[in-house]
Amino acid sequence: MDMPRNAFKQSLREKRRQIGLFVGLGSPYSMEILATAGFDWLLIDAEHSPNTPASVLPQLQAAAPWSPQIAVRPVNHDAALIKQYLDIGAQTVLAPLVDTAAEAQALVRAMRYPPQGIRGVGGSLARAARWSGVMDYTRQADAEMCLIVQIETRQGLENLDAILAVEGVDAAFIGPADLAASLGHLGDSGHPEVRAAIEGALRRIAASGKAAGVFVTDPALARHYFACGASFVAVGGDTTLLRNAALKLAASFREDAAP
Ligand code: 3PY
Ligand code: MG
């Protein structure tokens, strides 16, 4: 069996424009709906959503036949947890709250086999290796792994250039909510200081040659962030889509039913 290639990593390298969605519902069934909706990439969130490797696995399986590229966001940088996500078949990791080059370096090592890294070898048990069915999985795997670091604190901004210089960091993604909190504007990611910080960071990331990404739900602002150098954006989340549609539907019938 051939090594599954990471088309997302390739798209990031080529700075192709990629529109994504955060997926937090934790359901393989809704994942199938989202995977057929026309997004380029989907992020399975296990940072704020009730996901673990056991619930991420069926979502990866549900998404596998469809075109969107899948990234997984673990709750932390734990190398053992990252190993589990890679072994069930995730090839792209979006790591939250990366503040220093040392943290980025440790994440790179978590995603690579020795001698470059510390990923444990367990191909016969791993879906990623198709249970030893992929020829030479261990020799090919490192090249297909993709690390996106999230820059979302003041410290992360201060260390941005050093983080980007870490070999093995493929892209950097700005988290406006955490960044706003870190800059003293909790709950106000539209604050001018936060906006300016995001714009500056996107420009610096793009200038480094690595792909720049950001979470942005406003289409006009998304266009602006593309102009600042972003090549991949997440434009919403499934929980918000479901909640907003449900609120709207219920409200529309309540108005109709009013005497
Ligand atoms: C944030 O905004 O903090 C994120 O992590 C992604 O939107
Ligand atoms: Mg965040």
Side-chain angles (χ1 to χ4, degrees):
M1 216 175 296
D2 290 338
M3 175 78 199
R5 299 293 164 200
N6 188 340
F8 195 29
K9 182 171 175 147
Q10 189 56 30
S11 305
L12 291 173
R13 197 176 284 143
E14 292 167 8
K15 314 286 176 347
R16 250 184 275 145
R17 205 171 267 203
Q18 306 281 303
I19 307 297
L21 187 79
F22 279 24
V23 178
L25 286 172
S27 154
Y29 199 60
S30 59
M31 172 54 96
E32 268 188 311
I33 297 173
L34 299 172
T36 54
F39 291 100
D40 299 307
W41 65 287
L42 299 169
L43 172 79
I44 303 176
D45 176 51
E47 184 193 10
H48 295 293
S49 314
N51 273 312
T52 61
S55 67
V56 170
L57 170 61
Q59 295 177 72
L60 290 173
Q61 291 169 321
W66 309 108
S67 59
Q69 298 302 308
I70 306 296
V72 173
R73 178 164 71 174
V75 67
N76 58 30
H77 302 176
D78 180 21
L81 181 61
I82 289 173
K83 171 172 60 184
Q84 286 190 298
Y85 285 123
L86 300 188
D87 279 354
I88 60 174
Q91 292 187 318
T92 300
V93 169
L94 183 87
L97 296 161
V98 178
D99 292 337
T100 65
E103 285 176 10
Q105 187 64 62
L107 285 159
V108 171
R109 286 172 57 74
M111 295 181 66
R112 293 185 175 176
Y113 286 123
Q116 279 80 25
I118 58 163
R119 180 179 172 191
V121 183
S124 65
L125 290 169
R127 173 174 179 265
R130 301 301 180 262
W131 310 278
S132 299
V134 173
M135 286 280 288
D136 276 343
Y137 175 83
T138 44
R139 266 193 291 260
Q140 299 191 73
D142 288 0
E144 300 305 325
M145 299 302 131
C146 177
L147 173 62
I148 306 171
V149 294
Q150 270 199 271
I151 304 299
E152 44 185 356
T153 63
R154 190 185 292 279
Q155 196 189 2
L157 285 180
E158 283 163 5
N159 291 322
L160 181 57
D161 295 334
I163 292 169
L164 291 167
V166 172
E167 195 271 321
V169 168
D170 296 289
F173 184 91
I174 310 298
D178 277 305
L179 186 59
S182 176
L183 295 179
H185 305 294
L186 179 65
D188 186 7
S189 52
H191 188 281
E193 191 192 346
V194 182
R195 285 270 302 266
I198 294 172
E199 290 167 10
L202 291 172
R203 290 199 168 96
R204 279 160 71 193
I205 298 162
S208 80
K210 296 194 171 168
V214 62
F215 184 90
V216 54
T217 55
D218 172 33
L221 191 55
R223 271 195 294 281
H224 176 62
Y225 285 158
F226 279 127
C228 292
S231 63
F232 68 111
V233 296
V235 296
D238 58 353
T239 46
T240 309
L241 291 176
L242 180 59
R243 179 172 159 75
N244 287 349
L247 286 172
K248 196 167 155 203
L249 182 63
S252 71
F253 275 83
R254 256 193 238 108
E255 281 156 21
D256 280 358

